[in-house]
């Protein structure tokens, strides 16, 4: 299979070179923007924070488009738009709103592994022993990549920016 390098500019910043398969039958034209609503979620005590937490969007204007689709099932997607997530302590009701309005290009492979090339903030959760960052919920901001393996292990490579822990903000 032939390999090609596609350099992607995200939010005016060159995020990273993206190596993708480029078979003759690949569709490499951007599709239309479409709504990409965020789901609500919940974690029991100990899964992300010491206390049970749940969250969901309070502002969700995220849209996505498909940049490329390859015959092996790999897709390259682009996301942008305002997103504010409310993280809430399920026991006390204490809450914190975090901006997760980053812009990202995401490569999703047939095995469900993903590579995120991001500028700006996102909300990221890490389980115990399931990532390069300690268990918790975080607002990650800056320029970075996030690799998610087929098993769900997450590796954060922060090129420039910050990682803000959120669990303490709701305890």
């Amino acid at each position: 299979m032939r390999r090609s390098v596609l350099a992607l500019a995200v939010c005016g910043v060159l995020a990273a070179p993206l190596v993708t398969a480029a078979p003759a039958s690949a569709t490499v034209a951007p599709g239309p923007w479409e709504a990409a609503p965020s789901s609500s979620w919940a974690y029991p005590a100990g899964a992300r924070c010491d206390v049970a937490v749940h969250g969901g969007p309070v502002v969700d204007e995220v849209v996505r488009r498909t940049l490329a689709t390859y015959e092996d099932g790999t897709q390259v997607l682009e996301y942008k738009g305002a997103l504010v997530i409310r993280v809430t302590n399920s026991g006390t009701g204490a809450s914190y709103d975090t901006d997760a309005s980053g812009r990202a290009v995401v490569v999703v492979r047939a095995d469900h592994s993903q590579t995120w090339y991001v500028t700006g903030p996102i909300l990221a959760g890490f389980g115990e022993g399931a990532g390069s960052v300690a268990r918790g919920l975080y607002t990650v901001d800056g320029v970075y990549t996030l690799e998610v393996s087929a098993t769900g292990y997450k590796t954060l490579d922060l090129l420039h920016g910050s990682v803000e822990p959120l669990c303490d903000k709701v305890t």
Side-chain angles (χ1 to χ4, degrees), residues 37-92:
S38 297
S39 299
S40 296
W41 46 266
Y43 292 108
R48 295 294 183 269
C49 301
D50 290 340
V51 299
V53 292
H54 63 274
V58 292
V59 173
D60 191 347
E61 298 171 4
V62 176
V63 292
R64 79 172 187 186
R65 65 180 175 172
T66 302
L67 297 178
T69 302
Y70 298 98
E71 68 183 15
D72 68 354
T74 298
Q75 285 193 306
V76 182
L77 307 168
E78 181 180 10
Y79 291 85
K80 69 177 184 174
L83 179 61
V84 176
I85 302 289
R86 179 164 295 147
V87 178
T88 303
N89 179 319
S90 298
T92 67

